[in-house]
Amino acid sequence: NAAPEMAEENATLARPRLRTGHPSMYKVIMLNDDYTPMDFVVDVLRRYFGKNAAAANAIMLEIHNRGSSVCGIYTYEVAETKVTQVMDEARRNQHPLQCTLEKA
Ligand code: TYC
């Protein structure tokens, strides 16, 4: 039977991998649709992306006129959280607003 010290000899010690360089960044992109009210989009941009009224209006209009716009650029986990928050808020209010994430 195995000697007690075998377990220790075979053990792989967990060692955190050193992260070098910067984390990858992700764009949160909101898409246009024909039904979501403009003021709802402006509210979302202010609440979840920290935009003031003027910036939120400009981004909303860019989405409306060009089909989509970048709302912010974040690390993966933060970007994913923003997408979830926007999609949840849209669904709660029964708007078809779509939001996605794209590597920057
Ligand atoms: N196109 C919408 C309207 O005319 C407004 C809108 C803007 C919808 C931005 C979605 O991400 C969006 N009511």
Side-chain angles (χ1 to χ4, degrees):
N1 61 336
E5 60 267 29
M6 279 298 287
E8 191 177 327
E9 282 176 27
N10 292 337
T12 302
L13 298 178
R15 172 169 49 85
R17 191 175 66 75
L18 292 176
R19 284 175 169 75
T20 60
H22 54 83
S24 297
M25 300 301 282
Y26 293 81
K27 299 182 279 191
V28 173
I29 296 170
M30 213 137 77
L31 292 321
N32 188 39
D33 66 71
D34 291 340
Y35 305 103
T36 303
M38 290 182 171
D39 66 347
F40 179 83
V41 176
V42 169
D43 285 348
V44 163
L45 288 165
R46 298 189 68 178
R47 181 177 305 168
Y48 297 109
F49 297 92
K51 305 299 181 185
N52 64 30
N57 260 287
I59 294 170
M60 183 280 294
L61 285 175
E62 164 137 332
I63 302 167
H64 179 71
N65 290 320
R66 305 190 53 143
S68 69
S69 182
V70 177
C71 304
I73 304 179
Y74 310 95
T75 55
Y76 185 82
E77 186 169 318
V78 174
E80 190 61 60
T81 299
K82 303 282 183 198
V83 169
T84 300
Q85 287 172 327
V86 172
M87 296 296 281
D88 285 355
E89 190 70 18
R91 174 178 270 240
R92 262 190 357 96
N93 290 274
Q94 300 183 304
H95 297 313
L97 179 64
Q98 295 291 308
C99 187
T100 187
L101 146 180
E102 184 181 301
K103 196 164 183 188

